[in-house]
Amino acid sequence: MEKIFRYTFIVLIISFLFYRCFLKEEINCGLRDTLDHRHELIDSLYNQLDSLHKVIDTLQYESEIFDYGTVSESEIISALMYVESSNNDSAYNASEDAVGCLQIRKTMVNDVNRILRKRKSLVRFTYEDRWCRYKSINMFKIYCKYYNLTTAEEIARCWNGGPRGLNNPATVVYWEKVKNQING
């Protein structure tokens, strides 16, 4: 009888220990799952943070491009679009192969792509992108930033006459048209 009691006691102790090990393993699995979930959450938050940093960088970049006192970026772009094409995205000047709302020529697309290559950007524009207002405005901003055009006059005259447009007296008439549009 004593042997049966002893074996029963030993079996109970071993069963209890196995149960405790099993319980601890269940707890460990639960903790591992929780830890994995938290790591995934942290990774997701890092991705969102990176995305927000990119948005902030973009907004800062856009605000750094222009610094022309009381004239806003949108006023200058609107004035240029009016002077260039009367705000017509489908405008086409066959004699100059100037296209879209900002009347962009192929040489401008080439220059902007050269700037982007120099900056090691993967973005490139095509000649067809000149028909798209959004892409035309992006090309315009890249051009102005690269050539450090900050005043409304610099922007207008260099948009019309190229990077050395300020030195070209022929761009003065163009600037007067843009200025009248801004002030009108």
Side-chain angles (χ1 to χ4, degrees):
M1 181 78 159
E2 192 176 310
K3 280 186 172 185
I4 294 175
F5 179 71
R6 193 180 301 167
Y7 287 125
T8 306
F9 182 72
I10 291 172
V11 168
L12 282 174
I13 294 291
I14 291 172
S15 298
F16 177 74
L17 292 174
F18 275 123
Y19 173 75
R20 294 284 296 189
C21 287
F22 175 75
L23 189 60
K24 291 211 185 264
E25 184 60 33
E26 285 293 315
I27 291 171
N28 285 344
C29 286
L31 290 174
R32 265 189 242 116
D33 289 344
T34 301
L35 192 59
D36 288 344
H37 176 70
R38 297 277 164 89
H39 280 292
E40 289 171 7
L41 180 63
I42 289 170
D43 288 343
S44 171
L45 291 173
Y46 272 122
N47 289 338
Q48 287 177 352
L49 188 60
D50 285 345
S51 177
L52 289 173
H53 277 293
K54 287 178 184 173
V55 169
I56 290 169
D57 288 346
T58 300
L59 291 172
Q60 286 175 336
Y61 168 76
E62 288 177 356
S63 71
E64 288 171 2
I65 291 176
F66 301 99
D67 179 26
Y68 22 68
T70 59
V71 182
S72 73
E73 169 187 347
S74 62
E75 286 176 303
I76 289 180
I77 292 172
S78 293
L80 288 170
M81 285 192 294
Y82 184 81
V83 170
E84 290 287 350
S85 68
S86 298
N87 292 310
N88 182 0
D89 292 333
S90 300
Y92 178 65
N93 181 338
S95 66
E96 297 179 3
D97 192 28
V99 171
C101 62
L102 285 168
Q103 291 294 282
I104 296 176
R105 297 180 185 132
K106 289 180 179 179
T107 57
M108 174 63 71
V109 176
N110 295 339
D111 193 26
V112 169
N113 284 334
R114 180 190 58 80
I115 293 165
L116 292 169
R117 271 192 305 280
K118 195 172 183 179
R119 291 181 178 167
K120 300 191 185 334
S121 171
L122 299 177
V123 175
R124 295 293 182 275
F125 292 98
T126 66
Y127 297 142
E128 288 299 308
D129 291 337
R130 300 177 294 167
W131 296 102
C132 173
R133 180 177 293 238
Y134 174 77
K135 289 180 180 180
S136 293
I137 291 170
N138 281 340
M139 284 188 263
F140 168 80
K141 289 178 179 182
I142 291 165
Y143 178 84
C144 290
K145 176 70 174 174
Y146 181 78
Y147 289 108
N148 197 29
L149 307 175
T150 57
T151 68
E153 182 177 3
E154 287 174 342
I155 291 167
R157 292 182 66 188
C158 291
W159 185 252
N160 180 245
R164 293 185 212 98
L166 278 173
N167 302 326
N168 184 349
T171 62
V172 173
V173 174
Y174 181 83
W175 161 237
E176 289 300 321
K177 290 179 187 176
V178 173
K179 185 168 62 170
N180 288 339
Q181 189 60 36
I182 291 170
N183 294 332

